[in-house]
Amino acid sequence: MTIHASLPRRAVAELIGTAGLLVVVIGSGIQASDLSRDTGVALVANSLASAIGLGLIITLFGPLSGAHLNPVVTLTSWWVRRRGGEGVGGREALVYGAAQTAGAIGGAVLAEVMFGRTPGTFSTQIRGGGHLLVGEVVATAGLVLLIQGLERIGRPKLIPAAVAAYIASAIWFTSSGSFANPAGTIGRAFSDSFAGIAPQSLPGFVAAQVVGGVLGLALAALLYGGTGRDQKDGPAAVGPAVPVRTPAAATPANPGYEPIG
């Protein structure tokens, strides 16, 4: 069901949700590397925990804020709205992005504290090389295409499980480890751990993620057409899984959720 929440409440949901995601990603990475010297085993544990945690967070916060947890997802939602579909406005996008980034940093610091490590220590793990940037473009493009595709074919309820499964697999099939999230990437710079990334590697990764987001949006338009509203055949299309404030008697912003009765 959809909760028609105010922008401040939705921003808090994005902040807490993104913080929770970073706690899961970084915390499971620290735990895995502490328990096993085998990098492959550690990556299995980290990818499974990250996928499960992400799916649960999207399920919990989706009806409230849309559970973007990712500035690229928010920007694609903003673009879809500009093209006549359902999504967030410019002011909402800025607030969401700020909340996501603050939440990511806070979650990283919390994970460090939780495991008795010095909080606020920057990562020393340099992730450089053009092949890693290509991996980030692919990872982010696939994520955006998945979300937009499910929304445009009228199956938004599949997004939590589908995104979780995609991230679990993308951690393995991309060279970069599928960060695919500018806010999450910035947050991971605040953890010198298995899941961290050195600050000097941030510009390249974030730029690659933005390029991937644009590519994913373009592929969605090519495959499914426009914003989803212009489909004439097939399942009814819907807008992004982002509840937009509407009067109580109005149609809910996302048909994938049921309004509160």
Side-chain angles (χ1 to χ4, degrees):
M1 57 186 171
T2 302
I3 300 175
H4 299 298
S6 64
L7 179 57
R9 285 181 63 194
R10 284 182 279 145
V12 171
E14 286 295 304
L15 186 149
I16 295 174
T18 311
L21 175 60
L22 268 290
V23 169
V24 171
V25 172
I26 293 175
S28 63
I30 294 172
Q31 185 82 292
S33 59
D34 284 346
L35 294 176
S36 176
R37 295 180 180 274
D38 188 318
T39 303
V41 172
L43 190 58
V44 168
N46 181 236
S47 60
L48 286 177
S50 298
I52 294 170
L54 176 58
L56 293 174
I57 290 169
I58 295 174
T59 300
L60 178 63
F61 292 107
L64 182 60
S65 69
H68 292 189
L69 316 175
N70 185 334
V72 168
V73 175
T74 297
L75 286 174
T76 57
S77 174
W78 167 78
W79 178 254
V80 168
R81 177 167 175 169
R82 280 178 57 87
R83 302 290 292 176
E86 301 284 356
V88 297
R91 177 169 171 266
E92 292 172 303
L94 290 174
V95 172
Y96 269 41
Q100 292 156 359
T101 303
I105 295 172
V109 171
L110 177 57
E112 293 284 296
V113 171
M114 188 166 60
F115 282 90
R117 297 158 62 92
T118 303
T121 301
F122 287 117
S123 175
T124 57
Q125 188 168 175
I126 297 176
R127 299 178 187 265
H131 65 293
L132 297 184
L133 301 184
V134 171
E136 276 301 282
V137 171
V138 171
T140 312
L143 175 63
V144 171
L145 176 59
L146 175 65
I147 294 171
Q148 288 293 319
L150 288 174
E151 288 169 346
R152 295 178 192 210
I153 63 175
R155 296 180 178 175
K157 291 182 179 180
L158 295 179
I159 288 177
V163 169
Y166 174 79
I167 291 299
S169 62
I171 287 174
W172 283 91
F173 76 71
T174 62
S175 57
S176 62
S178 185
F179 283 42
N181 182 337
T185 303
I186 292 171
R188 287 163 79 159
F190 287 79
S191 174
D192 192 15
S193 65
F194 178 82
I197 178 172
Q200 54 264 48
S201 300
L202 290 179
F205 264 59
V206 171
Q209 290 156 3
V210 172
V211 171
V214 173
L215 177 59
L217 200 56
L219 287 173
L222 174 66
L223 293 170
Y224 302 104
T227 62
R229 284 187 169 187
D230 53 353
Q231 294 191 65
K232 303 299 182 182
D233 303 307
V238 298
V242 182
V244 180
R245 295 189 69 188
T246 58
T251 301
N254 186 346
Y257 298 127
E258 298 176 359
I260 293 178

